[in-house]
Amino acid sequence: MKRLVILLAFAFPAFTYGQQTLTLQECYQLINNYPLAKQLDLLEKQNDLDLEAINTGKLPKLDFSAQATYQSDVIQVPLSSIKPLNKDQYRSTITANQLIYDGGSIDASLKAKSAVLKTQQKQVEVNLYQLKKQVNQLYFSILLIREKKALLTAKREQLEARLKEVKSGIENGTILPASDKVLDAEMLKIERQFIEVEHNELSLFQTLSSLIGKNIEPSTTLPDAEIEINDQTLISRPELALFQLKKEQIQSSDLLLSKQNAPKISGFATGGYGNPGLNMLDNSFQTFYTVGLKLNWNVFDWNANKKKRESLLLNKEIVDNESEIFELNTQIELNQQQSEIEKLNAFITSDIASIELRKEVLKSAESQLRNGVITTSAYITELTNLFEDENTLSMHKIQLALMKADYNITKGQ
């Protein structure tokens, strides 16, 4: 006997240690396993390639060209000592261009591209953040189903106890025959409810597993989350940071536009081989080269650049308007959730009072059933009434926790 106790003492902690537990906060963290999160790294890699491509604008560029032509006529000098040019001509060249000054256009392009990356990544974070409410819905739905299973278990145990008493009463002649059949039918009804609840629970676990990218066994413990809300804190949603990044992106684009019409200076060198060369009077294959500086400056573009910058300013006002609308709608949603929280608190107080009364009624019904004063159907009615009230209380408690969790997500806590 002592050996058995010792073995059980060692076995029980091992079983407890192996049991999986998953909290609501852990679910939030595991959202990063959702496939959408992969875009963060992909956007980073894409941006690195884009920046490398933009930076090549500072490197020298080599162009090779070759051509062979036949002309119907050529320039001729009316001197017998000068041989006319061939009508078939050949030329191949290599030209190197090196940007010397671009007015800061490339640097502005790099900043604009980096601003786009930050905006895109923040948008991904916003989309991932919005998944938290789906996690809340699934997490608390599982808790609600487990509460219902616990209540069904308690109801079944009560029916089993009453069924023994009723069968004993039938044998002793104090209770009418066939009264136990009503209880047997109710037991079958509970078994069907167990089947439905377990299937729903399994479906919810599968959906939650897909959402957080982790396989969750139906035996996993989901602790009741103690949710606290703080009405005093300001809204700190990632969407607000996204609006700010959008405005910074607009500023970067405006800076880039301001540099587009700036003068650009580049140096070039061309080496070639052809017939004729640079000396058009020498009718032979020659090597040649040219070096120089080149200035490009778009001094007048019909105000196209100016209009583009004015359009960007309007975009900035649009983003400010979107931010204002978002904060207004968020505050409206918070007010609605706060009202719902207060209502659920009132419901819970009423539910508790109702359950206490139902317990007193059921206690009396149990005594009456033992003495054959009421039928089993009347007893089941009172038991079901208590079960429904307890189920309603559990539902309101879970709804309250869910509403508090949603409130915190809405506020950005």
Side-chain angles (χ1 to χ4, degrees), residues 156-276:
R156 180 172 59 186
E157 290 174 354
Q158 284 186 298
L159 284 174
E160 288 173 347
R162 298 294 83 75
L163 185 60
K164 290 180 181 179
E165 293 176 356
V166 167
K167 286 183 177 180
S168 176
I170 291 173
E171 292 175 358
N172 296 328
T174 57
I175 297 179
L176 294 174
S179 295
D180 58 334
K181 302 303 180 185
V182 178
L183 294 175
D184 286 333
E186 188 66 19
M187 291 286 287
L188 291 175
K189 179 181 177 181
I190 290 176
E191 293 305 320
R192 289 195 300 271
Q193 290 175 331
F194 265 114
I195 293 173
E196 179 183 6
V197 164
E198 287 173 354
H199 276 80
N200 290 340
E201 182 183 20
L202 180 60
S203 176
L204 288 170
F205 266 114
Q206 290 173 344
T207 305
L208 183 59
S209 296
S210 299
L211 191 60
I212 64 176
K214 179 180 180 181
N215 184 39
I216 311 172
E217 298 295 332
S219 59
T220 301
T221 300
L222 302 183
D224 292 337
E226 292 293 333
I227 309 296
E228 298 294 335
I229 62 174
N230 188 349
D231 297 334
Q232 305 303 319
T233 57
L234 298 175
I235 298 173
S236 57
R237 291 276 293 274
E239 288 88 343
L240 297 178
L242 176 61
F243 290 132
Q244 182 59 38
L245 288 174
K246 284 183 177 181
K247 290 192 288 186
E248 292 176 5
Q249 180 183 338
I250 291 172
Q251 291 173 353
S252 299
S253 298
D254 180 66
L255 177 63
L256 177 59
L257 283 174
S258 71
K259 303 294 184 181
Q260 282 186 347
N261 287 346
K264 296 175 178 60
I265 300 174
S266 58
F268 67 90
T270 300
Y273 181 73
N275 181 5

Side-chain angles (χ1 to χ4, degrees), residues 17 22 62 186 247 352 362 373 403:
Y17 179 78
L22 185 67
L62 294 177
E186 188 66 19
K247 290 192 288 186
I352 293 173
L362 183 63
V373 177
M403 189 57 60

Side-chain angles (χ1 to χ4, degrees), residues 56-64 94-100 265-270 290 292-294 296:
T56 58
K58 298 178 180 180
L59 302 176
K61 292 178 173 54
L62 294 177
D63 294 319
F64 172 79
I94 294 179
T95 301
N97 289 280
Q98 174 62 58
L99 181 66
I100 298 174
I265 300 174
S266 58
F268 67 90
T270 300
T290 58
L293 294 175
K294 182 168 59 177
N296 289 325

Side-chain angles (χ1 to χ4, degrees), residues 23-292:
T23 67
L24 182 60
Q25 290 299 324
E26 288 173 339
C27 288
Y28 290 160
Q29 295 169 2
L30 290 170
I31 288 178
N32 289 327
N33 292 331
Y34 192 70
L36 179 63
K38 295 179 181 178
Q39 289 189 14
L40 293 171
D41 289 334
L42 293 175
L43 289 170
E44 186 77 40
K45 293 177 181 178
Q46 183 186 50
N47 182 71
D48 290 342
L49 293 173
D50 290 339
L51 293 181
E52 289 178 9
I54 294 173
N55 269 314
T56 58
K58 298 178 180 180
L59 302 176
K61 292 178 173 54
L62 294 177
D63 294 319
F64 172 79
S65 67
Q67 68 177 25
T69 62
Y70 181 85
Q71 301 177 194
S72 61
D73 201 0
V74 294
I75 297 175
Q76 296 187 17
V77 179
L79 295 174
S80 59
S81 61
I82 299 177
K83 185 179 179 181
L85 293 174
N86 295 331
K87 291 185 177 180
D88 56 321
Q89 300 182 3
Y90 309 89
R91 171 173 288 211
S92 63
T93 61
I94 294 179
T95 301
N97 289 280
Q98 174 62 58
L99 181 66
I100 298 174
Y101 176 76
D102 69 346
S105 179
I106 291 179
D107 291 337
S109 296
L110 293 172
K111 290 180 180 178
K113 195 62 187 176
S114 297
V116 171
L117 170 66
K118 291 178 182 178
T119 302
Q120 291 175 330
Q121 288 182 324
K122 183 57 68 173
Q123 182 64 65
V124 172
E125 291 177 16
V126 166
N127 294 339
L128 289 173
Y129 184 84
Q130 292 171 350
L131 293 176
K132 287 186 176 182
K133 285 192 175 181
Q134 294 185 38
V135 169
N136 287 346
Q137 193 66 46
L138 292 168
Y139 190 94
F140 288 104
S141 293
I142 293 173
L143 289 182
L144 181 60
I145 281 183
R146 289 188 166 180
E147 284 290 329
K148 188 172 183 178
K149 283 175 66 176
L151 291 173
L152 283 171
T153 301
K155 183 178 181 180
R156 180 172 59 186
E157 290 174 354
Q158 284 186 298
L159 284 174
E160 288 173 347
R162 298 294 83 75
L163 185 60
K164 290 180 181 179
E165 293 176 356
V166 167
K167 286 183 177 180
S168 176
I170 291 173
E171 292 175 358
N172 296 328
T174 57
I175 297 179
L176 294 174
S179 295
D180 58 334
K181 302 303 180 185
V182 178
L183 294 175
D184 286 333
E186 188 66 19
M187 291 286 287
L188 291 175
K189 179 181 177 181
I190 290 176
E191 293 305 320
R192 289 195 300 271
Q193 290 175 331
F194 265 114
I195 293 173
E196 179 183 6
V197 164
E198 287 173 354
H199 276 80
N200 290 340
E201 182 183 20
L202 180 60
S203 176
L204 288 170
F205 266 114
Q206 290 173 344
T207 305
L208 183 59
S209 296
S210 299
L211 191 60
I212 64 176
K214 179 180 180 181
N215 184 39
I216 311 172
E217 298 295 332
S219 59
T220 301
T221 300
L222 302 183
D224 292 337
E226 292 293 333
I227 309 296
E228 298 294 335
I229 62 174
N230 188 349
D231 297 334
Q232 305 303 319
T233 57
L234 298 175
I235 298 173
S236 57
R237 291 276 293 274
E239 288 88 343
L240 297 178
L242 176 61
F243 290 132
Q244 182 59 38
L245 288 174
K246 284 183 177 181
K247 290 192 288 186
E248 292 176 5
Q249 180 183 338
I250 291 172
Q251 291 173 353
S252 299
S253 298
D254 180 66
L255 177 63
L256 177 59
L257 283 174
S258 71
K259 303 294 184 181
Q260 282 186 347
N261 287 346
K264 296 175 178 60
I265 300 174
S266 58
F268 67 90
T270 300
Y273 181 73
N275 181 5
L278 296 181
N279 184 359
M280 299 295 294
L281 299 179
D282 188 350
N283 193 18
S284 64
F285 281 91
Q286 307 167 35
T287 59
F288 57 88
Y289 72 89
T290 58
V291 294

